[in-house]
Every structure is written in structure tokens, then in C-alpha cells.
């Protein structure tokens, strides 16, 4: 059974703080690593798809890095805003299907 | 705009009832998936389908079945609901197997079995 872990489980930050969290995944059979944002009462939405070791992706204040050799990815949020409050999911794509991590629940306090 | 819809946002059923959860996508995607989300656990795959009338078991298929009679519709069936099936159920679709394509999710159905 493939295991994907995320840490921390939850996080509370003040508006304006920068933050980061981690996704750990198997380093074998790697196809892609996906990050999703899941806001309360909404559908999970894709943030990034990352495929190459050393990949860095950026969308506004959010960025992500990928290390496939050691099996981890970091998600960074610069200058957190209340609208960033959500659960952030990573998903390990091994070509056939996805294995999701349990998520990191971020709360940004105004 | 890409859309995956689920028939109900909230559902309350009694133990032993037969439950149908419907999912429809309008993107002509080949792949469709059913997951459940429980606190502290990642999305766990129940069943998936790569084509009409095709289905494959995911990681936790026990107690569930599925139906895909049309490309756009994927139904999850709980033959005899039990309290341990109380959960958030998410449907997703993607373009094709083995691609880098993201999965598109519906809004979820929160099912409570009493």
C-alpha cells in the first residue's frame, strides 16, 4: 500500500505570516505530484502538477518545490491572507491512480 | 467551465437502506472516481471507471458497488447502508488514464447513516 503523509496536520497563522508545509511520498514509481486546495463547502481545486525532480511552480503568493529522489514536496504561502484558509492536499500520481495525503488544514487569522 | 456535480450535498439514511449517490461530469472525461474522506485520513479510493460499463475496485470497495451506463454518469451504490459508511463522498473525473491530468472534483455528499 502506497503511503502519502502530510505535515503538519493543522496550522494557525496570523495574516501576513509566511508558512510552509510538507508532503512525503514514495520515491519509486513516481509519475507526478499534485497539490490541491480544498476550501470549506467547495470542491478541491488543483494548484500544481509537478513532474520533474527540482521542479518549482508558482501561482501568485503560493509556490511549491519537488524532490523526487527523497520523496517530498513543499508548499509555501507568502504573506498569508484569510482567503488562503483551506485544507491543502497533495496527491501522488503513480500513473494508474492517485494516492492522497490526509491534508494540512490552514487557518489564517485576521 | 469544467463541472462535476453530485446529486445531494447532504443525505441522511437509516441502517440497511439502499443508497444511491449520483455523479455527472460535462467534460467528456473517460475516467471517473469515487472517494470517501474521513477525519485524519486522505481521500480513499472506493471504485473507479476508465470507460462506460467498466469498473475497477479501489482501496476500500467493501460494502459498495458502482454503475457506469453512460460516459458522463457514475453512480455509487451502498447496497445496505451501515453506520461505518457515514462519511463525505467525493466524485472526481479526469481525461484519461496514465496522463498528468488533474482530477476535477464534485462538491461532495455528506452522508449520515443512523
Amino acid at each position: 500500500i502506497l503511503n502519502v503523509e502530510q505535515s503538519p496536520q493543522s496550522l494557525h497563522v496570523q495574516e501576513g505570516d509566511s508558512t510552509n508545509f510538507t508532503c512525503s511520498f514514495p520515491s519509486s514509481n513516481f509519475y507526478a505530484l499534485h497539490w490541491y486546495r480544498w476550501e470549506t463547502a467547495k470542491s478541491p481545486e488543483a494548484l500544481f502538477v509537478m513532474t520533474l525532480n527540482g521542479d518549482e511552480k508558482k501561482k501568485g503568493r503560493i509556490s511549491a518545490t519537488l524532490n523526487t529522489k527523497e520523496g517530498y514536496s513543499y508548499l509555501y504561502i507568502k504573506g498569508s491572507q484569510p482567503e488562503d484558509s483551506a485544507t491543502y492536499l497533495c496527491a501522488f500520481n503513480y500513473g494508474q491512480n492517485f494516492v492522497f495525503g490526509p491534508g494540512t488544514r490552514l487557518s489564517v487569522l485576521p | 467551465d469544467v463541472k462535476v456535480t453530485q446529486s445531494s450535498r447532504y443525505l441522511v439514511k437509516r441502517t440497511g437502506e439502499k443508497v444511491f449517490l449520483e455523479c455527472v461530469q460535462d467534460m467528456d472525461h473517460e475516467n471517473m472516481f469515487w472517494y470517501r474522506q474521513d477525519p485524519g485520513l486522505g481521500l480513499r479510493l472506493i471504485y473507479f471507471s476508465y470507460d462506460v460499463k467498466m469498473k475497477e475496485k479501489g482501496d476500500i470497495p467493501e460494502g459498495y458497488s458502482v454503475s457506469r451506463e453512460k460516459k458522463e454518469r457514475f453512480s455509487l451504490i451502498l447496497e445496505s447502508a451501515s453506520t461505518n459508511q457515514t462519511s463525505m463522498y467525493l466524485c472526481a473525473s479526469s481525461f484519461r488514464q496514465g496522463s498528468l491530468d488533474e482530477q476535477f472534483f464534485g462538491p461532495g455528499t455528506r452522508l449520515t447513516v443512523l
Side-chain angles (χ1 to χ4, degrees):
Chain A
I1 296 179
L2 299 171
N3 192 40
V4 176
E5 298 177 348
Q6 290 187 248
S7 62
Q9 186 175 2
S10 64
L11 198 53
H12 297 261
V13 301
Q14 290 294 136
E15 183 174 354
D17 286 351
S18 293
T19 187
N20 65 84
F21 19 94
T22 306
C23 172
S24 301
F25 52 86
S27 53
S28 58
N29 298 316
F30 179 85
Y31 200 74
L33 193 283
H34 300 246
W35 280 100
Y36 288 82
R37 176 169 57 202
W38 190 4
E39 296 178 67
T40 303
K42 294 186 178 180
S43 309
E45 288 184 338
L47 285 172
F48 304 115
V49 179
M50 309 180 78
T51 56
L52 297 175
N53 186 43
D55 241 357
E56 289 190 33
K57 299 269 183 168
K58 189 173 181 190
K59 185 185 284 189
R61 294 178 291 98
I62 304 177
S63 60
T65 61
L66 179 69
N67 183 323
T68 59
K69 292 183 180 178
E70 296 181 43
Y72 65 83
S73 175
Y74 294 136
L75 190 79
Y76 300 91
I77 302 178
K78 186 178 178 182
S80 302
Q81 299 297 309
E83 59 264 30
D84 296 328
S85 296
T87 296
Y88 291 83
L89 299 171
C90 68
F92 172 70
N93 180 347
Y94 58 98
Q96 291 186 344
N97 278 321
F98 290 19
V99 179
F100 284 84
T104 292
R105 189 179 183 90
L106 174 67
S107 297
V108 181
L109 307 172
Chain B
D1 201 17
V2 159
K3 210 165 203 178
V4 180
T5 57
Q6 294 183 229
S7 49
S8 307
R9 292 299 300 270
Y10 299 94
L11 209 51
V12 180
K13 295 291 181 180
R14 297 214 172 266
T15 301
E17 280 192 78
K18 191 168 186 175
V19 182
F20 291 88
L21 302 182
E22 304 284 343
C23 175
V24 178
Q25 51 95 3
D26 65 0
M27 298 161 282
D28 202 32
H29 282 170
E30 294 178 9
N31 306 334
M32 296 189 75
F33 308 84
W34 275 106
Y35 295 92
R36 62 179 281 177
Q37 165 82 44
D38 298 291
L41 300 175
L43 295 176
R44 292 183 292 166
L45 183 63
I46 305 171
Y47 266 96
F48 58 99
S49 168
Y50 291 140
D51 202 351
V52 176
K53 296 195 185 295
M54 289 183 64
K55 58 185 178 184
E56 299 281 347
K57 291 180 181 180
D59 299 321
I60 51 164
E62 295 78 20
Y64 303 95
S65 62
V66 291
S67 172
R68 192 161 180 207
E69 296 296 318
K70 293 184 178 181
K71 191 175 186 179
E72 67 271 18
R73 188 178 296 268
F74 193 35
S75 303
L76 180 70
I77 303 154
L78 287 65
E79 293 290 342
S80 178
S82 63
T83 54
N84 63 12
Q85 292 178 310
T86 292
S87 188
M88 168 71 88
Y89 290 88
L90 282 162
C91 174
S93 71
S94 68
F95 182 47
R96 65 184 186 278
Q97 183 184 6
S99 74
L100 298 174
D101 292 345
E102 65 187 89
Q103 292 189 2
F104 292 88
F105 287 88
T109 296
R110 187 166 291 283
L111 172 67
T112 302
V113 182
L114 302 175

